[in-house]
Amino acid sequence: MPGLIASLMLLEESHLDWKEFYHVAMFIYNIQSILTFSAFASYVWAREYEENMMENLLCYPYSKQHIFYAKLLILLPVILVTSVLFVFASHMAAPFLVSGALELENVKEFVSIVGVMVIMHFLLLPFVLFVTMLSRQAVTGIILGVLFMLVCTIFYSSSFIQYIPFIIPMVLADHLLGFDKLILSGYTVPVIILLLTFAFSLGGCLWLLRSNKIHIQN
């Protein structure tokens, strides 16, 4: 959808080049991904609680940590497939809007940036899973996604947006594409924030698993 939405937004634009199209498409992709991947991560974890099947799941001869890692890792191909579809849809619609020939170097650059975004969005998922473990509700991901989308919209031009984990992929994509519309002081601090968010959230999830409290049915 991000690629198609970008095409619809740019229907009336004239003299649009590939860089500008990629920038708009990537912006919409990162905005939608905040909600889409958060909602899916919450659903993957919370559905057993909502369907009262957690006790059945724990009857399988696998540890709780094994089940957690399986749920976490299955989200990586979900993000990857979604991103591949985004790239495909973007290049299907763009030739009707963009003037000039598509150069292979531009495609390689765009695909490589999308690859970086895949990793970044995956690093944010343990935080969503941690909050979902506490709430046991699939709607948690939707609430988090909408919240961070609002933060992004409201503080779009502020300097501290580069330090908000869920907004960092959008900020870095903006600069990796060669635009400076979002404020970025440097790559080091945002990357460290993403890694720390992943590490502490993953640690929090494992701590909750060891506490056994999250597997008590409501």
Side-chain angles (χ1 to χ4, degrees), residues 33-135:
S33 294
I34 296 174
L35 175 60
T36 303
F37 299 145
S38 296
F40 195 85
S42 287
Y43 172 77
V44 165
W45 182 263
R47 63 183 299 270
E48 281 84 8
Y49 289 107
E50 296 186 342
E51 298 175 7
N52 295 317
M53 295 179 59
M54 180 55 72
E55 291 180 352
N56 296 335
L57 181 64
L58 295 177
C59 290
Y60 289 98
Y62 301 104
S63 66
K64 292 173 290 185
Q65 289 79 6
H66 188 105
I67 294 173
F68 168 76
Y69 286 125
K71 287 177 176 287
L72 176 61
L73 292 177
I74 197 61
L75 294 171
L76 182 57
V78 168
I79 297 175
L80 182 61
V81 170
T82 303
S83 301
V84 170
L85 291 174
F86 159 63
V87 173
F88 178 77
S90 298
H91 288 88
M92 286 292 292
F96 299 99
L97 304 171
V98 181
S99 58
L102 176 60
E103 297 181 2
L104 183 58
E105 290 300 320
N106 289 336
V107 177
K108 290 181 178 179
E109 180 186 20
F110 182 64
V111 171
S112 63
I113 294 175
V114 172
V116 174
M117 295 303 105
V118 168
I119 297 173
M120 289 187 175
H121 285 293
F122 178 75
L123 292 176
L124 295 168
L125 294 184
F127 178 83
V128 179
L129 291 174
F130 176 74
V131 179
T132 304
M133 285 180 178
L134 296 175
S135 67

Side-chain angles (χ1 to χ4, degrees), residues 7 11 36 44 56 70 75 90 94 119-120 130 136-137 151 153 157-158 166 176 204 208:
S7 301
L11 275 177
T36 303
V44 165
N56 296 335
L75 294 171
S90 298
I119 297 173
M120 289 187 175
F130 176 74
R136 304 181 187 181
Q137 300 292 327
V151 170
T153 303
S157 59
S158 64
F166 278 80
L176 288 172
L208 288 175

